[in-house]
Amino acid sequence: MSPPTPPPLTGLRVLEFAGLAPGPFAGMLLADYGASTLRIDRHPAALVPAPDLLSRHKSSIPVNLKSSAGQSLILSLIPHTDILIDPFRPGVLESLNLGPDALTAINPRLIYARLSGFRRDGRYSAMAGHDINYLAVSGVLSLLGRAGDRPAAPWNLLADFAGGGAPLVAGILLALVSRSNTGRGQVVEANMVDGSAYVATFPRYALKTPLGDGARGENVLDGGCPWYDTYRTADGGYMSVGALEPQFFRALIRGLGLEGKGWEEKRGDRGSWADMRRVFTEVFAGKTRTEWEGVFDGTDACCVPVLGHHELETDPSREGDQRAYVELKGTPGLDPVQEGPGGGRGARESWAVRGDVPRRGYTGSVLSPGQGGEELLGAWAGWERGREYDVVDGGFILKEGRPKL
């Protein structure tokens, strides 16, 4: 069997400015599929944020972006760069002479990808925010939560990652397709308000249909329906129920031992939902989660256990190991959980998920400032320390006397 060809983004060079979750996630996705990714960390003398756990397959150099020497180094790297990721609030890189106009003038093929929280042209553009705020003003947060309770945000999944980092990568890939036709790069704009709203297209449309026109937490898919919910078991575990279609609901009723009691006919009667939920709650509480797995495994009842990550990490019978975001049969990405050189970075020889290497899908790969950076500068531009650049007080600067773009 011939080995697969290298990952699809092999040969592309990504300059990622260090930031919080969504920017690093975008860079990680690109790196997982073969892009050579160099993170520009803050100079050690500057305020250093919490360690970035989304750093696998990346390298780093720390640069003082407020110094002319640091800015010159970045400008000199731009001709060697395909994609730049800007995770800052609007105007930050422009104030450092590193905005899209300046950099695309140096390299017309550059894809300048920038991600903001609020819309750049919206009323909140100058304000700080986080995932919960972007969900709030996008309308998505109003959909989330139990009936009669306040809106509830699910970690920082929807805005930061589903509505931020992932759409930014999609925009970058679209720009790469365009560049293959035109020969020119472009500015890719993403923000977490629009990204979250786009992810929520279906529930937004459903607000004007019987599927979702009730109050929050009172609809079929938001916790209002007893056959689309979770139930506590005798041992304190939980089972998830998603028996939406009639045939799946019948399988659920059969597994619960509730056949012949008329629940099948009352399924669509919202007036019976409170009684149905009470009965389901009592029945599920009568067996352990493992016992319910024995009842429903292999059936079409749409009833499976709610697994914790500690179980996925330690129980080989579960779908625990993290796999690629999407599998490409001919050009698979790098193993997202392989223990490679430097804690998972530099394992370019491992194109596919393998079973003969240590796994680390539940431990973030922390990248130290400067780790692997000198090797990457050599690979990208043929630079050598002391010739094209120096490292002064831990920060990388363009060597004096080198041409400044």
Side-chain angles (χ1 to χ4, degrees):
M1 180 178 177
S2 61
T5 57
L9 302 183
T10 298
L12 290 174
R13 297 164 175 174
V14 179
L15 203 62
E16 173 199 322
F17 286 90
L20 298 177
F25 179 68
M28 184 187 73
L29 255 175
L30 298 173
D32 279 349
Y33 286 90
S36 178
T37 304
L38 179 62
R39 189 178 74 192
I40 304 301
D41 276 305
R42 299 186 186 189
H43 188 272
L47 177 65
V48 178
D52 173 17
L53 299 178
L54 303 173
S55 61
R56 62 178 178 243
H57 303 136
K58 299 178 186 178
S59 297
S60 160
I61 60 172
V63 178
N64 183 356
L65 297 178
K66 295 183 179 180
S67 72
S68 59
Q71 293 169 11
S72 294
L73 183 136
I74 298 298
L75 292 172
S76 296
L77 274 177
I78 293 304
H80 307 283
T81 302
D82 293 289
I83 300 158
L84 180 145
I85 296 177
D86 169 11
F88 302 121
R89 290 168 66 176
V92 170
L93 284 185
E94 287 86 344
S95 70
L96 299 171
N97 305 310
L98 299 173
D101 291 343
L103 301 193
T104 54
I106 296 171
N107 180 2
R109 289 178 56 82
L110 178 69
I111 294 169
Y112 194 112
R114 52 187 186 178
L115 176 64
S116 63
F118 296 115
R119 288 177 171 175
R120 287 179 178 267
D121 59 350
R123 63 183 294 173
Y124 308 106
S125 61
M127 296 170 57
H130 278 296
D131 189 288
I132 192 170
N133 307 123
Y134 312 137
L135 290 182
V137 302
S138 70
V140 176
L141 188 58
S142 69
L143 304 174
L144 307 176
R146 287 290 183 176
D149 206 347
R150 63 187 187 277
W155 261 84
N156 63 328
L157 295 173
L158 285 181
D160 277 353
F161 299 104
L168 187 69
V169 170
I172 290 169
L173 298 179
L174 292 170
L176 285 170
V177 172
S178 176
R179 192 178 77 171
S180 70
N181 295 324
T182 66
R184 298 187 65 83
Q186 59 183 292
V187 177
V188 175
E189 293 276 11
N191 70 77
M192 287 173 252
V193 172
D194 289 332
S196 301
Y198 201 94
V199 169
T201 297
F202 176 72
R204 186 173 67 251
Y205 287 168
L207 292 173
K208 298 183 183 298
T209 75
L211 182 64
D213 62 359
R216 180 176 59 250
E218 296 181 4
N219 301 287
V220 172
L221 297 176
D222 65 359
C225 174
W227 25 273
Y228 198 86
D229 208 341
T230 58
Y231 292 91
R232 187 178 177 90
T233 59
D235 57 344
Y238 290 89
M239 295 294 288
S240 67
V241 173
L244 291 175
E245 290 77 10
Q247 68 273 25
F248 301 156
F249 183 80
R250 289 193 296 271
L252 174 69
I253 292 299
R254 185 164 53 251
L256 292 175
L258 295 174
E259 287 182 295
K261 301 182 182 298
W263 291 117
E264 297 87 343
E265 291 74 24
K266 297 178 182 179
R267 174 176 171 275
D269 178 11
R270 289 178 179 250
S272 71
W273 282 5
D275 287 340
M276 189 183 300
R277 190 186 303 277
R278 176 183 54 78
V279 172
F280 284 7
T281 299
E282 292 173 356
V283 173
F284 272 109
K287 287 184 172 68
T288 66
R289 198 191 73 180
T290 298
E291 288 174 325
W292 283 120
E293 287 187 74
V295 171
F296 288 112
D297 274 4
T299 75
D300 282 345
C302 301
C303 186
V304 297
V306 177
L307 300 174
H309 280 98
H310 66 285
E311 297 175 86
L312 296 173
E313 184 176 9
T314 59
D315 185 349
S317 71
R318 303 293 187 182
E319 293 93 333
D321 280 342
Q322 185 179 9
R323 294 185 179 180
Y325 191 58
V326 63
E327 183 178 1
L328 301 175
K329 294 295 187 181
T331 57
L334 301 178
D335 188 342
V337 295
Q338 178 177 328
E339 180 71 70
R345 290 170 295 280
R348 290 290 190 261
E349 73 283 359
S350 301
W351 307 132
V353 174
R354 293 163 37 191
D356 59 345
V357 292
R359 319 301 289 172
R360 51 175 297 136
Y362 294 86
T363 305
S365 180
V366 177
L367 179 65
S368 301
Q371 187 174 351
E374 294 194 35
E375 292 86 349
L376 216 59
L377 291 179
W380 280 25
W383 288 4
E384 292 183 9
R385 182 173 179 173
R387 190 178 68 188
E388 282 80 14
Y389 67 93
D390 281 322
V391 180
V392 178
D393 296 329
F396 283 57
I397 62 171
L398 195 68
K399 188 172 175 62
E400 292 186 11
R402 295 296 300 175
K404 298 181 180 180
L405 298 175

